[in-house]
Amino acid sequence: MKLNQNTIAGLAELLETAELQAHDVVKITDAHPEMDWDDAYAIQAEILRRKLARGNRVVGLKCGLTSRAKMKQMGVDTPCFGFLVDTFTVADGGEVKIKELIHPKVEPEIVFVLKQALRGPGCHVGAVLAATDFVMPGIEVIDSRYRDFKFDLKSVIADNCSSSRYALGGMAVPLAGLDLRTLGVVMEKNGQPVAIGAGAAVLGHPAAAIAMLANHLGARDQEIPAGTMILSGGVTEAVAVAAGDHVSLRIQSLGGVSLKFI
Ligand code: OOG
Ligand code: MG
């Protein structure tokens, strides 16, 4: 760690206030180029602590920057991990208020719900598949707090990986007989397809993203608890949305989910 606790608390306050008041900030590594990975995750943990103290509940975890398309779009080469709280949740078909956000984008995601805990190191795709209760389609709304959506990996980790809203589709599909690598993914905005892909775009297999998360937490002596819902990461590039947009996602064999932006 390179930053002291005061600086970490101050940066967490800066980023969380930007989230809650929907205004952007310059990326924090500009003023703190010395910060390291542990500092970045410590800032994220401090944002979580602030939310829990306010009565928010953790409802899931997320993997981000797990597809080549996302890494290329954002100019980074390593996945990141974050948390989801209840205030991020939007019902399938529900409305997202654009004025509560800065510059939102949507992503198509394959979502896992676990029946068993996962603990790294050494977690692999097979262990994830064995521990998965079911998968669902999900739309994630990301909203970087950084100006023009431009950041480096440490800045985005501190910013809880741009988390802001998400919606899950209503179907819970067990994995037996499903090959998540070849599931087709089509996301439409206002009736036009804007993002098309397949599950394998996420690290060759979306379960590999969940295994990475378990190994990341294992290195910190933590696990993914049984019952956890986890977004495995955008399959395609993220797509900007504005008031009036309607976004709908269909994933082969998993059904669909949609959101309106008002
Ligand atoms: C970081 C979050 C990325 C994903 O699914 O790749 C993410 C960002 O691109 O702002 O949620
Ligand atoms: Mg995402």
Side-chain angles (χ1 to χ4, degrees), residues 62-66 70 74 80 107 109 140 142 144 149 151 156 161-162 233-234:
K62 68 172 268 185
C63 310
L65 306 170
T66 50
K70 281 287 315 183
M74 304 325 301
C80 62
E107 303 178 322
E109 306 229 4
E140 184 179 27
I142 54 169
S144 175
F149 234 107
F151 48 70
V156 72
C161 305
S162 310

Side-chain angles (χ1 to χ4, degrees), residues 2-82:
K2 299 286 184 337
L3 305 182
N4 64 35
Q5 191 51 40
N6 270 348
T7 309
I8 288 170
L11 291 170
E13 182 179 7
L14 172 90
L15 289 168
E16 207 218 1
T17 304
E19 178 212 328
L20 297 175
Q21 299 181 356
H23 63 73
D24 64 9
V25 295
V26 298
K27 71 176 162 33
I28 59 176
T29 46
D30 289 358
H32 300 280
E34 76 283 16
M35 68 182 269
D36 65 19
W37 303 109
D38 289 337
D39 292 321
Y41 278 106
I43 296 165
Q44 184 192 116
E46 176 62 18
I47 293 175
L48 174 59
R49 196 199 58 75
R50 293 171 63 88
K51 290 187 182 302
L52 294 175
R54 216 178 287 119
N56 294 170
R57 298 280 297 267
V58 173
V59 295
L61 300 175
K62 68 172 268 185
C63 310
L65 306 170
T66 50
S67 65
R68 207 30 69 201
K70 281 287 315 183
M71 291 186 206
K72 188 160 169 254
Q73 182 179 32
M74 304 325 301
V76 299
D77 59 7
T78 315
C80 62
F81 307 103

